Amino acid sequence: MASASCSGKTTLGRELARRLDVPFVELDALNHGPNWAQATPEELRAKVAPLVDEPGWVVDGSYRSKLGDLVLDRADVVVWLDLPVRVWLPRLVRRTLRRAVRRERLWNDNRETIWGGFFARDSLVRFALRTYPTRRRVYPVELGRYNLVRLRSPREVERWLEAVT
């Protein structure tokens, strides 16, 4: 699955994996080590390759900058959650605030902060807003060679999930 942060990739991925009775793989959990240290492309590939060699799975993300087309080439279907900014941005703000205020533990004991979520040069909110226009321009071309399902609203997501299982 490909999309902006907080578009529902993880939620949809977990539910789809549950319904299909296959493993769910969250690439963020494999990429982010303790203290937010990121895996090298080689380390991440070593973790992901055996998982996508299995006969069935649902993967949240693609990490193409590190994995190339490893995940996409092995997928039966690529789902792009192309939800409007008005949908995913409020979700991202709420989730980031909730995680920071509650000091929720994420992968490998990492925690989000208000500064890191909103104000740091590489903050998640800034990253999501900065990459959104590029994603919308590039994904149709780059993902078009795969069996692509492009879902543009929460209602389309619900309908597609119902039809799949």
Side-chain angles (χ1 to χ4, degrees):
M1 282 187 232
S3 188
S5 294
C6 277
S7 59
K9 292 185 309 292
T10 304
T11 301
L12 176 61
R14 283 189 176 128
E15 180 59 19
L16 183 60
R18 185 190 69 75
R19 290 181 184 204
L20 297 174
D21 195 27
V22 297
F24 172 72
V25 179
E26 189 175 3
L27 293 184
D28 282 339
L30 300 178
N31 183 60
H32 295 290
N35 298 313
W36 295 105
Q38 291 197 30
T40 66
E42 297 77 22
E43 291 167 338
L44 188 57
R45 183 173 279 276
K47 293 175 185 177
V48 174
L51 301 173
V52 295
D53 280 342
E54 294 298 317
W57 41 265
V58 174
V59 171
D60 169 0
S62 65
Y63 275 84
R64 292 181 80 199
S65 64
K66 290 186 176 187
L67 298 173
D69 290 334
L70 173 69
V71 174
L72 298 174
D73 284 345
R74 294 188 174 133
D76 294 330
V77 175
V78 174
V79 178
W80 173 17
L81 297 180
D82 185 21
L83 304 182
V85 174
R86 73 178 186 282
V87 172
W88 60 260
L89 184 57
R91 289 178 181 176
L92 178 57
V93 169
R94 283 190 306 269
R95 184 190 75 184
T96 302
L97 282 171
R98 184 195 75 235
R99 285 178 172 178
V101 169
R102 293 182 182 172
R103 301 204 24 84
E104 292 179 18
R105 292 173 193 254
L106 301 173
W107 327 278
N108 299 300
D109 212 26
N110 291 309
R111 295 172 194 213
E112 290 185 13
T113 64
I114 299 290
W115 176 259
F118 295 97
F119 304 110
R121 195 168 61 102
D122 61 346
S123 78
L124 186 55
V125 172
R126 284 184 179 190
F127 175 79
L129 287 169
R130 185 178 66 247
T131 59
Y132 179 74
T134 303
R135 221 180 3 265
R136 298 216 59 230
R137 187 179 67 254
V138 170
Y139 276 15
V141 175
E142 291 184 355
L143 301 179
R145 65 186 178 108
Y146 299 101
N147 182 13
L148 178 64
V149 174
R150 184 176 181 179
L151 304 171
R152 300 173 198 228
S153 72
R155 174 165 268 176
E156 282 186 13
V157 173
E158 290 173 22
R159 286 183 188 149
W160 181 79
L161 184 59
E162 289 172 10
V164 166
T165 54

